[in-house]
Every structure is written in C-alpha cells, then in structure tokens.
Amino acid sequence: MIRTKLEGHINSNIQLVRGLVSTIATEPDMSQERFAELVGSLLKNRSQLRNIAGAPELVISLMYPLEGNEKAIGLDYRRNQAQRDAALKARDLNELILAGPVNLVQGGQGFIGRLPVFVDGEDGSRTFWGIVSAVVDVEMLYRDSGLLDPNLPIDIAVFGRDGLGLDGEQFYGPDHVRNSDPVSVEISLPWGSWTLMATPKGGWAAPAAEIWWMRLAIVIAGILIMVPILVTGRLIEERQQHATEARRSKAQMMRLSRRLELALDASKVGVWELDLVTSKLVWDARMNELYGYPDDDGERTYEHWRDALHPDDVAKAEQEFRKAIDVKGRYYSNFRVKHPGGDIRNIRAIGAVYEEPDGSSRIVGVNWDVTADVALNEDLRRAKQLSDARNAELEVAKAHIEYNSLHDPLTNLPNRRYLDNELSGVGSLYSANSAMLHIDLDRFKQINDTHGHSAGDAVLVHASKVLKSNSTKDDFVARIGGDEFVIFCRTSKSKGYPIELAERIISEMKRPISHDGHQCRVGVSVGIARNEENLFSPHQLLINADIALYRAKNLGRNRYEVFTPLLQIETIRNKRIADEILYGIERDEFVAYFQPQFDAQSLDLVGIEALVRWHHPTDGVLAPGYFMKIAEELHVISQIDRSVLLQSTRLFKMWEAAGMTLPKVSVNVSSKRLHDEGLIEEIKGIDFEPGTVSFELVESIFLDDCNDVVKSNIDQIKKLGIDIEVDDFGTGHASIVSLLQLKPRRLKIDRQFVDPIVSSSAQQNLVASIVDIGRSFDIEVVAEGVETMEHAWILRDLGCNILQGHAFAPAMLPDDLIRMLQVQKLAHVS
C-alpha cells in the first residue's frame, strides 16, 4: 500500500509539471506573472508540490510561489555543486531527472524533478531553453504515503537516493532494517527507482498478536486456510478410522482433540458441521463469535446462520450453499453478516460434503473474518480509481494545453506553430497542385485606433469566419499574426481555385461590419502562390505567397496578386537595394545636391533647394526615384532627411563665412520626421540663422486629419524662424481649410503641371488657378521642372514668383554651385 501511494504521488506530481513544460515550449519569453498564473492553476489540485521554478539558461528567474522562495531566485545550476550534475543530466539526456532528497537553498528538504525544455524553431531546429524544477515536499510526501503513521507496525527503510535503486544511499528509516531479513519491493519512478524494505517492529520474533496483520496473507493462506482444512480432513479421516478401529485408545482421541483445539484457536477459524439428514448444526465457540451469537452452548440451526446474513447477501449465500450440497462437492462462499449491534463483518466460508459409513451425508467447513482484507482491497481499489482519475485529469489538462499552444484564443483558428507543424508534416500527397494564400487586413490599424481594440477583435473574428466559410474541408486556415491569415490549399481542384477563393474573400470582406453601433470597413490584400509543377516545398510556398502579398499591398491594397518568378527577382533586387541603403547610410553615401531658384521677373538667385543623391560605390550617382520608396519601407527616410539638413546648414554657414551669401536653402522633410516628438529639440541643436532655412512638406503630410504631434511640430518650426513650403501642390487632396491652418510661405507647383503648359491652354489655366490661390492667401508660388525658357516666360506671365529647373541650372554638388555663383558674380560686376 505504501509502495503504491509513493509511486502514485510521485507520478501524479510529475505529470502536472509536464503540462507546464509543454506550455513554456510555446511561450519561451514567459513572464513571472504568466508563470505564476499557470503554476497556480496547476497547484489548485491537491499535490505534494512545494514549489515550481523555471530556469532559462540554467539560472532560476521564474518561481511559484515566490513568497518564501526568494532565496532561490538567481540560483545558477552550473555553479551549485549539489544540483549541477542532475540539471546537466536532464539537459543532455532530454529526460526527467529526479534528485533527492536534497537540502534546499530556501530551507528544508525536497525531491527535485528536473525537466528540460526545448523550443522548436521555424527551421525545424530545437533550442535548449532551460530547466523546469518541481520540488516535492519530503515531509508531505512521507505523510500522505503513510510512512509517518504512528500506528504503523513495521519499520521501513527506503534506498536509492537520486533514483539509483539499491545502488543509491539509504535516505529514510532505521539502519537495522537492511540487515534484519526484510521484505523488499521496488518503487518505479519516472526515471530510476527506489527500493523499500520493511521488517516488523521488534523483529521477526515478536509475538504473533503484535504482527498478525503483517502475516495476514501468509496465515490465511497457510495456517488459517490450509491447516484448518487439513486438520478437519484429518479429523474426519480419524473419525472414520475410529468407527472401524474401535481399538483406538481414548488417550489418542484426547490428544487429537487438543491438537485441533490449539490449531483452531491460533488461527481464529470457526468450525461447523451440518448433518444433511437431520439438519443438526454444530458450531464451535469461534463460530458464535463470528456471527454475533452468545457462547452459551445453545443449539444452532440453519436458520441461525441464514438470519445472521446481511439481507443483500442472503440469496447468493444460500444458492452457493445449496449448490455444494446438490453436487456433494466443495463449498466456497463470501458474504456479510450483521451483528445484533449493527456491526457488519465480512466472512469467508469453505467446506466439503462427505458421507459417513452408514450412508448419511455431512458437510464440514470453516469460517473466518476477512473484514480487514476486504477493507484493504477497497482502499486499494479507491486508490487506483483516484490515480486513474488524476491521470485522466492530467490527460485532459495536457490536451487542453496542447490545444491552446496550437490555436489562436480569439478566433480559435490554428496559429503559426500549428501551421509550421502542418507544413513540416506535408508529404508528396499534398505537394502537387497545392497553393498558399497569405491574407492581410487593410485599414485594420485605423479600426483599432478609432473604435478600440474590441472593434479590432470583432473584425478579426469576422474575418476568420469569412475565411472558414469560403474554404473547403481540405483547406488549412490559420491566423499567423495580428491581422495576418493563411489558407493552405492542400490539393487544389483546379488551377483557378485559389484565385476564385481570393476573389470571394475580397468581395465578402468589403461589406461593413457592425460593432457597437458603428460600421467598420476593412479590406484584404491577398498574395497567392501556386505549386502547379511541384517545384516548391510548403515552406517555400508560404514565402512566395508573402512576396505576392507585398506586391498586392504596394499596388493599392484590397486586391490579390499571384506569385511569379519575375516577382521573386524583383523582391531579391529590392532586398539587395535595401541592404545597400543601410550600408550607404552608415558610410555617408547620401549627399546633398543643390538646385538654384530664380526670381521669375529679374532672374536673380533667390534660393537653393537641397536634393538628396546617392553616391553608390558601383552604380554611380542615383536619383531619389531609385531608392526613396525602399527607404520609406525601411523607415530610414528620417535619417536621410536629417543628414541632408545637417549638410545644408553646415555648408550654408561656410558659404556665408566665405562671403558667398545666399538668401535661403530649402530642405525636404518627410512625414515620418514630422511625427517625431523629438524633432524640435533636434532642430534647436542645429546652428542656422532664422529666415535662411525652409522646410518643404509634401501636400499629403498636412491633410485635414493630421495628428496633434504634426500640428505642434509645424507651429514650433515656424517659431524657430523656418519657413514652410508646400511641395508638389495639386498632387494631393488638401482642403483650403487645412491650407489656411498651415499658412505656408510658398506653394511649389509640381512638374507634371508645368511641363504641358507650352502646348496646352487648359494646363495654363490650371497653373493660373494655382497661382490665384497663392496670391489670394499672400503665398509665393514656385514652379519646378522649368525645362526651357519658353516655359519660364509663360510661367512669369501667369504670375509665378520663383522658377526652378534645368532651363536655369540642374541640381549640382556644392563646389559646382560655388563656381556657378562666382561666374555669375563676375559677369554681374563686368
């Protein structure tokens, strides 16, 4: 019984921890709060676990409960000699290692089960995360397993420290047990074993009355069962011989009677005999005791026996008794008797039918009390049921943890880990004609920002339902990120199926979603990759779909794109350019060029515009059109803007010191820069004269819905003496109201409006309208892209204030600009 309890408690405690290990493998960055939440739920069930610790990289940083175990935080298993070997063995063998009992740094003793945690990488590799250690409280384990029972009639010793069986040290019990001819059993552990040895208290020579229960099975099997039967048989045989051997002496009969009496008294067995002809029943004193009758030598009948039976056992007991009589064979029965005081006892009866020489039949048998045996068996049965129930609960918990680790809790769809498992397990059956759809929600961030995360969650749930309802049972649908989904079509029924599926999803997702009285509208962009010729692995198919999705979003969103080899080549090229941009920023390859600006009437120099150029180490000088879009995607435009601004102001001061005074320099500022809350402090650290610097803002920056940070930055920029110019005016969709709020110093007409004015009167009218808008608000108008002097004269006549373009000068390096200005100065002097 003690062995069973020890095994059950150890195994049930370890099973609780295995579920935690599975969860950590899916959440390697788990916080202390999350760890405490999980372990707390595990320890709600009764167990002997004292605490559970997590040791990423073999250093304890997670603990529950934390109170009372603070000293264990920071323990490095690699430097703790007492615990180092077991921890490293768990890591190297990838198995549970049970150590102990050990002295704990936070006080007390415990058995420590250490389980290694490995995290699966996206490439199929496994990385060692660390160790989860579960401390089983020594005293609680001993107490719950019955070792500390003060009424325990045996001495017990346990061997096998650290699960080494008989090879391990003794860690419980008195030393004399091993040398006292003990009974031994093996205790199986999740890794290794213990050996339990036991002897009766006081040794094997102790009186039988003190150890009768320890020898119960042997006494019942040997003395209590066989001896009475043999003695009874011998008695019957001798009685038969007595009938035929009258010469047997009275002294011999008395000797036999005494032997029988001694045997029955020692075995606590009751003997009975029933004459089947006369129905006369003979009971000895022990039988009266077993059935609750007084030992008064009173006559006993069959009815006495039957009336003492438990009502629920009467029919069965009588049937078994009659059967033995009918076949004149052996009698065996188990039943309950009810004593007059209400006490219920379990009785076991055996006997045999025999015939006397005169032809009469008798049945002789023995009864003994097996109540203790029945109770013990019932305890074992309950213990087994409890163990089975706990194992079932653990299996349910394990299944629940495994399900949660593979599914998104919001949409209940498979998650990225499940997708990786699915793709890793896909064989050739699913490779041919398979397809992958990578889906990303458009405008999802705006939904979260304007209506809150509850609305965003509603949109995600709606999207998951749309994807599931439009897919087939053979399609694998997963949510792999915030607003990203994947549909893996294991086997496409037709070449057009993935496209048809994408079209249905795009169409259905256009419909508004109602949430808390608001209509939320989102779209979807879909990247499709097909495996028609079985050229790609499932993982490569996902990469190809991601490339196609990137193209779909760049082409305007709310659409689908199909992966092609040319698209892959373009992606590789963009990746190469992106890497070179980052290196170029580090090596200061982005250089400010300057294009002069002239007064439309006098053609005097009124300013210069700083334009960025990339001095590529192999491709030469590259214009912004080559790299600007990729730089925006890399979020490095702000760094390039900052570099151009610093170069411009530094050169402006140098020219001024050299006597080359310029009216102003205009510098482009991106939207990202205006959203930077630290922009103003950065500008304050730059040395420039107020009124000599202008910031050119693309029209789309100052839309009506620009945020408070942008508005505040623009107001403070003006206060620092920096003019605001609107670049590419007419290409965006700013309202007149927002233009009034911004109050720029200049408007710059985009070159696409300037170029056609030579041949188109309509374009001239359009430019004239822009000039009128500027004049109405007292804003100067700059025309860029002036390629010929004919353009210049028309623009002058239309009322433009400033002209800029190749008709006057291209964008040039600082030295070239200085030389041009010197030539103009000499010409003016002459």
Side-chain angles (χ1 to χ4, degrees):
M1 187 63 183
I2 291 175
R3 186 265 306 273
T4 300
K5 289 182 178 180
L6 281 171
E7 284 184 351
H9 290 321
I10 289 292
N11 283 298
S12 63
N13 289 326
I14 296 304
Q15 286 299 326
L16 285 174
V17 184
R18 289 191 190 278
L20 176 64
V21 168
S22 299
T23 303
I24 292 178
T26 65
E27 300 180 40
D29 298 325
M30 182 177 293
S31 65
Q32 168 64 28
E33 292 74 16
R34 173 66 171 154
F35 183 83
E37 176 187 355
L38 288 174
V39 178
S41 65
L42 290 178
L43 297 187
K44 285 181 181 178
N45 299 320
R46 174 173 170 77
S47 69
Q48 291 75 37
L49 289 174
R50 175 172 174 172
N51 59 70
I52 299 179
E57 299 182 356
L58 298 178
V59 178
I60 295 178
S61 61
L62 304 173
M63 174 66 71
Y64 183 87
L66 187 58
E67 184 177 355
N69 297 295
E70 295 86 349
K71 292 183 179 180
I73 299 298
L75 173 66
D76 190 336
Y77 285 128
R78 293 165 295 190
R79 299 184 179 182
N80 187 293
Q81 193 63 34
Q83 304 190 42
R84 178 178 181 274
D85 292 343
L88 295 182
K89 183 184 292 185
R91 179 197 67 185
D92 297 339
L93 298 180
N94 191 14
E95 290 183 354
L96 163 71
I97 299 299
L98 185 66
V102 300
N103 294 322
L104 304 173
V105 297
Q106 62 268 46
Q109 282 193 326
F111 294 101
I112 304 181
R114 296 186 176 88
L115 292 90
V117 182
F118 289 86
V119 178
D120 295 330
E122 295 184 1
D123 57 354
S125 63
R126 301 192 74 208
T127 303
F128 176 68
W129 176 87
I131 295 290
V132 171
S133 297
V135 178
V136 179
D137 188 274
V138 168
E139 183 177 357
M140 188 180 296
L141 177 65
Y142 289 167
R143 184 182 67 248
D144 292 350
S145 300
L147 284 172
L148 304 181
D149 185 354
N151 299 319
L152 196 65
I154 55 176
D155 288 327
I156 293 178
V158 186
F159 299 82
R161 180 184 294 273
D162 297 332
L164 297 178
L166 283 175
D167 294 334
E169 300 176 5
Q170 177 180 344
F171 60 86
Y172 177 82
D175 297 335
H176 68 78
V177 173
R178 189 167 193 169
N179 300 320
S180 302
D181 190 22
V183 174
S184 64
V185 292
E186 182 176 331
I187 300 175
S188 297
L189 304 173
W191 190 89
S193 64
W194 295 336
T195 298
L196 184 148
M197 296 184 179
T199 60
K201 287 188 181 296
W204 291 105
E210 297 180 5
I211 63 170
W212 69 270
W213 69 272
M214 285 291 293
R215 302 294 185 176
L216 183 59
I218 298 174
V219 170
I220 292 174
I223 297 176
L224 298 185
I225 299 177
M226 298 307 299
V227 171
I229 294 174
L230 293 175
V231 171
T232 302
R234 180 63 178 166
L235 177 61
I236 295 171
E237 179 181 349
E238 289 183 356
R239 290 178 63 185
Q240 291 174 336
Q241 291 176 355
H242 180 72
T244 59
E245 299 176 6
R247 294 188 302 272
R248 187 173 297 260
S249 66
K250 183 177 180 181
Q252 184 179 9
M253 291 295 295
M254 292 178 64
R255 189 165 54 255
L256 273 173
S257 178
R258 275 198 310 274
R259 288 166 57 193
L260 176 60
E261 183 179 351
L262 289 172
L264 295 178
D265 183 62
S267 64
K268 304 297 183 183
V269 171
V271 179
W272 54 272
E273 180 182 67
L274 176 65
D275 189 323
L276 299 179
V277 177
T278 64
S279 296
K280 182 179 180 180
L281 179 63
V282 178
W283 276 5
D284 66 1
R286 177 61 178 164
M287 284 293 292
N288 285 322
E289 181 182 345
L290 290 175
Y291 283 84
Y293 290 115
D295 185 13
D296 55 2
D297 294 329
E299 182 180 353
R300 300 290 180 253
T301 64
Y302 176 84
E303 285 71 20
H304 284 90
W305 171 75
R306 184 188 61 195
D307 292 344
L309 295 177
H310 191 284
D312 295 341
D313 295 350
V314 171
K316 172 178 174 294
E318 287 192 310
Q319 180 183 5
E320 291 171 344
F321 189 70
R322 285 195 298 269
K323 182 178 179 180
I325 295 174
D326 291 342
V327 300
K328 292 183 170 50
R330 296 186 62 81
Y331 167 56
Y332 182 87
S333 183
N334 288 285
F335 46 81
R336 292 170 294 172
V337 298
K338 188 173 183 180
H339 286 196
D343 188 21
I344 305 296
R345 312 300 296 172
N346 292 84
I347 302 298
R348 183 165 295 161
I350 60 174
V353 177
Y354 73 96
E355 289 187 0
E356 294 281 7
D358 61 2
S360 61
S361 295
R362 296 174 181 271
I363 180 169
V364 177
V366 295
N367 283 184
W368 70 94
D369 190 336
V370 293
T371 303
D373 287 350
V374 172
L376 179 60
N377 289 333
E378 182 63 22
D379 288 343
L380 290 174
R381 184 186 65 79
R382 283 196 296 267
K384 184 178 182 303
Q385 288 178 343
L386 178 60
S387 178
D388 291 344
R390 285 186 174 179
N391 288 337
E393 291 176 359
L394 289 173
E395 288 300 321
V396 171
K398 179 182 177 182
H400 185 65
I401 292 172
E402 183 67 16
Y403 182 87
N404 288 342
S405 70
L406 295 175
H407 288 78
D408 168 46
L410 177 63
T411 63
N412 211 33
L413 291 177
N415 58 17
R416 182 58 183 258
R417 181 172 179 237
Y418 198 161
L419 175 65
D420 289 340
N421 293 344
E422 175 72 14
L423 298 186
S424 299
V426 170
S428 58
L429 175 64
Y430 295 133
S431 297
N433 298 322
S434 58
M436 189 77 68
L437 279 69
H438 193 172
I439 301 157
D440 186 89
L441 301 184
D442 301 328
R443 296 190 71 253
F444 180 72
K445 183 177 184 301
Q446 288 87 334
I447 295 295
N448 269 337
D449 292 344
T450 57
H451 298 297
H453 288 284
S454 62
D457 289 346
V459 169
L460 291 172
V461 172
H462 174 74
S464 68
K465 292 178 180 178
V466 170
L467 300 186
K468 289 292 291 183
S469 64
N470 284 282
S471 305
T472 67
K473 60 182 180 61
D474 294 327
D475 296 335
F476 184 87
V477 183
R479 179 190 176 198
I480 63 172
D483 60 344
E484 294 183 65
F485 297 84
V486 161
I487 300 179
F488 178 37
C489 306
R490 297 183 178 96
T491 53
S492 296
K493 299 178 177 60
S494 65
K495 181 178 179 180
Y497 172 72
I499 294 176
E500 294 170 359
L501 176 58
E503 289 174 341
R504 290 198 303 269
I505 292 171
I506 292 171
S507 175
E508 193 164 339
M509 285 300 296
K510 287 180 180 178
R511 301 171 185 169
I513 304 162
S514 179
H515 176 75
D516 282 348
H518 299 287
Q519 294 294 315
C520 304
R521 293 181 179 272
V522 295
V524 290
S525 298
V526 183
I528 302 172
R530 294 183 294 208
N531 203 19
E532 299 168 3
E533 299 180 5
N534 198 18
L535 297 176
F536 305 110
S537 68
H539 284 288
Q540 184 61 47
L541 206 59
L542 180 58
I543 294 172
N544 294 348
D546 186 52
I547 293 172
L549 172 64
Y550 180 77
R551 168 56 65 87
K553 295 185 83 68
N554 281 344
L555 292 180
R557 303 173 183 264
N558 206 35
R559 56 182 293 139
Y560 69 85
E561 284 294 320
V562 180
F563 173 82
T564 64
L566 291 177
L567 187 56
Q568 185 176 28
I569 292 172
E570 180 183 338
T571 302
I572 294 172
R573 170 184 171 273
N574 290 342
K575 175 64 168 60
R576 176 183 60 80
I577 294 174
D579 292 338
E580 291 175 350
I581 288 173
L582 296 176
Y583 291 135
I585 291 174
E586 293 176 1
R587 296 191 290 258
D588 294 327
E589 293 175 359
F590 292 90
V591 178
Y593 274 51
F594 299 94
Q595 187 171 29
Q597 298 173 331
F598 299 90
D599 183 273
Q601 299 296 329
S602 65
L603 299 184
D604 292 334
L605 182 71
V606 294
I608 56 175
E609 179 184 5
L611 302 169
V612 66
R613 296 292 185 268
W614 184 6
H615 281 200
H616 195 282
T618 57
D619 296 342
V621 180
L622 302 175
Y626 179 83
F627 61 84
M628 194 60 71
K629 184 175 181 181
I630 297 176
E632 288 178 352
E633 294 169 358
L634 292 174
H635 304 294
V636 296
I637 288 294
S638 295
Q639 298 178 47
I640 296 175
D641 282 354
R642 185 182 303 112
S643 175
V644 171
L645 176 60
L646 291 173
Q647 292 178 55
S648 301
T649 53
R650 184 176 63 251
L651 288 169
F652 203 86
K653 296 292 288 187
M654 290 173 56
W655 296 332
E656 186 179 53
M660 301 298 296
T661 303
L662 296 174
K664 69 174 182 66
V665 60
S666 300
V667 181
N668 287 288
V669 177
S670 66
S671 172
K672 289 287 185 183
R673 288 274 281 163
L674 286 179
H675 284 79
D676 184 358
E677 295 182 356
L679 174 62
I680 301 304
E681 290 302 318
E682 181 183 316
I683 294 174
K684 289 179 179 179
I686 299 174
D687 184 16
F688 68 94
E689 292 294 331
T692 61
V693 178
S694 294
F695 280 178
E696 290 193 10
L697 313 181
V698 178
E699 181 183 357
S700 57
I701 289 177
F702 57 92
L703 300 180
D704 295 329
D705 60 349
C706 67
N707 63 31
D708 294 338
V709 174
V710 174
K711 293 177 180 177
S712 175
N713 280 342
I714 290 176
D715 289 341
Q716 293 186 69
I717 287 170
K718 290 179 180 180
K719 291 178 181 178
L720 292 174
I722 299 175
D723 291 339
I724 298 297
E725 300 182 10
V726 178
D727 195 10
D728 299 337
F729 186 77
T731 60
H733 45 276
S735 67
I736 298 299
V737 173
S738 64
L739 193 62
L740 285 172
Q741 291 175 344
L742 182 65
K743 297 178 181 177
R745 181 66 180 274
R746 298 174 190 89
L747 297 180
K748 180 176 282 189
I749 304 174
D750 189 76
R751 65 179 64 247
Q752 64 179 310
F753 298 124
V754 172
D755 186 63
I757 63 174
V758 174
S759 58
S760 173
S761 58
Q763 288 297 118
Q764 291 183 18
N765 293 333
L766 178 59
V767 172
S769 298
I770 296 175
V771 172
D772 288 339
I773 291 174
R775 186 179 294 118
S776 299
F777 297 122
D778 196 21
I779 300 172
E780 292 183 341
V781 178
V782 182
E784 64 177 351
V786 182
E787 301 299 317
T788 67
M789 291 309 295
E790 186 177 1
H791 284 92
W793 308 140
I794 294 174
L795 290 167
R796 179 196 61 188
D797 295 340
L798 290 175
C800 285
N801 304 104
I802 301 171
L803 305 178
Q804 176 184 342
H806 284 77
F808 301 99
M812 58 189 74
L813 287 167
D815 292 344
D816 295 333
L817 175 64
I818 292 301
R819 281 193 290 271
M820 186 198 80
L821 294 177
Q822 289 173 341
V823 170
Q824 287 185 349
K825 185 176 182 181
L826 290 174
H828 181 72
V829 171
S830 63

